[in-house]
Amino acid sequence: MSLYIQKFGGTSVSTLKKIKTIVNNISNFLKNGHKIVLVISAMSGDTNRLIRFSKKLNKKPTPREIDMLVSTGEQITISLITIALNTLDIEAISYTGPQLGILTSNNYTCARINNINLNMLHNDLNENKVIVVAGFQGINILGNITTLGRGGSDTTAVALSAALQAKECQIYTDVEGIYTTDPRVCTKAKYILFLTVEEMLELSSLGSKVLQIRSIEYAGKYNVKLRVLSSFNKNYGTLIIPDYLFLSNLYMENPMISGIAFNINESKITVCNIQDIPGMAYKIIKPISNANINIDMIIQNISNINNITDFTFTIEKNDFIKSYKILKKKVVNNIGGLLNIDEKITKISLVGVGMKSQSGVASHMFNILGNEGINIRMISTSEIKISILIDDKYLEKAICSLHTAFGLNIKQIIQQNNINN
Amino acid sequence: MSLYIQKFGGTSVSTLKKIKTIVNNISNFLKNGHKIVLVISAMSGDTNRLIRFSKKLNKKPTPREIDMLVSTGEQITISLITIALNTLDIEAISYTGPQLGILTSNNYTCARINNINLNMLHNDLNENKVIVVAGFQGINILGNITTLGRGGSDTTAVALSAALQAKECQIYTDVEGIYTTDPRVCTKAKYILFLTVEEMLELSSLGSKVLQIRSIEYAGKYNVKLRVLSSFNKNYGTLIIPDYLFLSNLYMENPMISGIAFNINESKITVCNIQDIPGMAYKIIKPISNANINIDMIIQNISNINNITDFTFTIEKNDFIKSYKILKKKVVNNIGGLLNIDEKITKISLVGVGMKSQSGVASHMFNILGNEGINIRMISTSEIKISILIDDKYLEKAICSLHTAFGLNIKQIIQQNNINN
């Protein structure tokens, strides 16, 4: 008999029919003799609807009141789920975040969980009750309701898994798991069976609609086994495991790469022909970051014999015009150089812990793209990731050829014994 | 500077436009330098919608979970009202019932308020904040959310008025106040300026959609001045005052009668020709009340020379067939007698504390009805009420002629100085 935390997102509880479906699934799961704590989100669309409502009354609603408002969404679903469980003669009880003593920081709309009072949870679990917890919400030391930011229910689930030392934290969604790449770009995308936390973080652009990034970090920090799976079928989904478990080879042979992420929302700016002297990078970047613009990749190559170099970085497309103006005014006028811009680029990242022990991933990648006639504009690497910039018109071609070449078209084989142990 | 409790019902907060209207009114009210605690209901229809939802999942949802579910309705409106007040630069803060420490009995869906923690209220009032309280809800000693039954927000408002010794408890609705009779039956119905608590209770059928009966009892017990008025105009509404204030003649000359209530949902049953011996009434009533059927009026006249009498009572139309069968089987078969039934009747009640000191109300009433050719089937009187049964086809005729004859067509004159002191 083990304890599982099961989180159901907004799309899984958006209709009475779906509620009935997942409640039946829960009932079947309980027949294995396991204990469950459920974490439930608001019905999809509910939170947005309430926020839209409030903004019609006040363009800048007080964050405390926003949290008071939106936290009703999960309160509705937890009671409905509990009521539905009761029809199946399952003893269940619902709790809001504040009722359960999920103590958070004070910052409304993006609070962090500091502590969870386990007394009520342990009591109810001892009585074999299914506990139905409102995700996304807590209480601060002032006694006010707080919320954890978008996707905060994932964090609630992981935090409860850590606190209760659950066997697994299962995130039920409307997709099969984390995919090797976006199925809309490459139809051969498969869902991944195993990922390390580190890989998942690097692949976050593929999973960001499925998992709150913070919850992944949290899972890594507290060694929570996190599984992303579908509410509506019986596949195993994607198991995200702490790095040390992966490295102990408990799970499987490391694949060379696990997935291919991409980002079409970046632009590239190069400051050409600048002096390669200490402090130059700082002089370029400082006015950009002062304007609260996030920089993603940064590249500076070695200088030529005249000590002249180029400095390149990428930013979000939204920030492009603003950045260009800042550079023109505050940098080029000051330190000289020429601006070379490119808005029509896409970033593609190969991610996999397997890279650590297998050389040649980069050269293999470059070779494939070269064969496809795709020019690489910029390269940046880390231990488990290789990111390149290419012209955005090649996005699909690049992703699909890499997906095939790195063996991702083939579905991973499930090692049953590794999944439930 | 005085403290007012203002309660806004579901129809007053059912749209963003209405919320803006009442928030503007509140802002104007605050310009008089008064302090306010607002008590807000859920948007009209919201609570029913949620209950309907839950019943689709489970015919008998757990009361605890029902309260968890429906209490979200007020949580939504208090935050919206607070957010709307903030746009007008009014410092406001919302509280759910549990947050405010409105401690209730344990019985979910119909809990009673036992205590209110005044610390937070006093702190916020001292800081000149407008406090926005979720009506209808509280917390029990188990830490669970409870609700106070239909119209429970009225009780929240009256309880806060008593606890904070507010100058007045103002119940804002979508009608002008309590009417002399139902305007749909008699178009000349006017709203009443002053009523005693006792009168209000007797007239409850006229006010039941406006005020929860329990809140009126509570107001009487704790000497709370209760005013029913419109959210959407500036009329004074109906002030319901504790009986002792009325008797002290502080308010106005007692009118002979204050209002005419009626009930078209009753049926009459007579057990004729029974022996007038001790215990007979009990033998007739016991099987009815054992079946959980409520009895309203009961009449037994003196017996004739043969010691034979008739026993008549009224019940709700819904219970008629059931009652008839019980009487047939368990009473008539047992003690004899004949059943005489009448389903097509209406009860009409004249109510007024003025009756106490003015004789002749009954004879005046009977005279008017006689002149209209309306036969009276049954009569029952109390200190401040005369109730009669007539054929239901005469409902409108009877109400309108009595309304005219007892001077109710004429609007009461407002004595300004009596209203605000």
Side-chain angles (χ1 to χ4, degrees), chain A residues 11 31 46 62 66 80 100 106 126 131 141 185 201 270 306 318 366-367 371 381 401 404:
Chain A
T11 51
K31 285 174 188 154
D46 241 25
T62 334
I66 281 290
L80 291 178
L100 212 55
N106 282 337
N126 286 340
I131 305 170
I141 46 165
V185 171
L201 289 170
T270 304
N306 297 323
N318 285 339
F366 303 157
N367 185 32
N371 288 342
T381 62
S401 54
T404 306

Side-chain angles (χ1 to χ4, degrees), chain A residues 11-26 40 43 76-85 88 232, chain B residues 53 57:
Chain A
T11 51
S12 304
V13 295
S14 58
T15 64
L16 292 179
K17 196 179 161 195
K18 286 185 179 175
I19 288 177
K20 283 179 187 172
T21 303
I22 64 166
V23 162
N24 279 324
N25 293 348
I26 291 164
I40 313 290
M43 290 183 181
I76 288 173
T77 47
I78 54 169
S79 44
L80 291 178
I81 292 278
T82 307
I83 283 166
L85 285 168
L88 305 177
F232 306 112
Chain B
F53 240 56
L57 292 168

Side-chain angles (χ1 to χ4, degrees), chain A residues 16 19-20 43 50 53-54 56-59 61-62 64-69 71-72 75-76 78-84 86-87 92-96 99 143-145, chain B residues 16 19-20 43 50 53-54 56-59 61-62 64-69 71-72 75-76 78-84 86-87 92-96 99 143-145:
Chain A
L16 292 179
I19 288 177
K20 283 179 187 172
M43 290 183 181
L50 290 170
F53 239 56
S54 72
K56 281 184 187 161
L57 292 168
N58 188 334
K59 276 175 198 157
T62 334
R64 178 191 183 276
E65 299 300 330
I66 281 290
D67 283 355
M68 176 72 95
L69 181 65
S71 60
T72 58
Q75 195 172 326
I76 288 173
I78 54 169
S79 44
L80 291 178
I81 292 278
T82 307
I83 283 166
N86 290 338
T87 44
I93 186 161
S94 68
Y95 291 109
T96 64
Q99 279 182 328
N144 293 328
I145 299 170
Chain B
L16 292 178
I19 287 177
K20 283 180 187 170
M43 290 184 182
L50 290 170
F53 240 56
S54 71
K56 281 182 189 163
L57 292 168
N58 188 333
K59 276 174 197 159
T62 335
R64 179 191 182 277
E65 299 301 329
I66 281 290
D67 282 355
M68 177 71 96
L69 180 66
S71 60
T72 58
Q75 196 172 325
I76 289 172
I78 54 170
S79 44
L80 291 177
I81 291 278
T82 306
I83 283 167
N86 290 338
T87 44
I93 186 161
S94 68
Y95 292 110
T96 64
Q99 280 182 326
N144 293 327
I145 299 170

Side-chain angles (χ1 to χ4, degrees), chain B residues 371-387:
Chain B
N371 289 342
E372 296 286 341
I374 300 168
N375 195 22
I376 299 168
R377 306 265 170 216
M378 190 165 161
I379 302 167
S380 160
T381 62
S382 75
E383 276 224 310
I384 66 159
K385 181 168 81 165
I386 305 173
S387 294

Side-chain angles (χ1 to χ4, degrees), chain B residues 298-314:
Chain B
I298 299 177
I299 296 268
Q300 186 191 331
N301 218 327
I302 56 164
S303 52
N304 62 14
I305 44 166
N306 298 323
N307 227 21
I308 297 295
T309 188
D310 303 331
F311 185 94
T312 306
F313 60 91
T314 61

Side-chain angles (χ1 to χ4, degrees), chain B residues 102-119:
Chain B
I102 297 182
L103 193 71
T104 73
S105 62
N106 281 338
N107 33 335
Y108 302 104
T109 74
C110 54
R112 286 179 166 264
I113 295 176
N114 289 333
N115 194 29
I116 298 178
N117 182 343
L118 297 179
N119 293 341

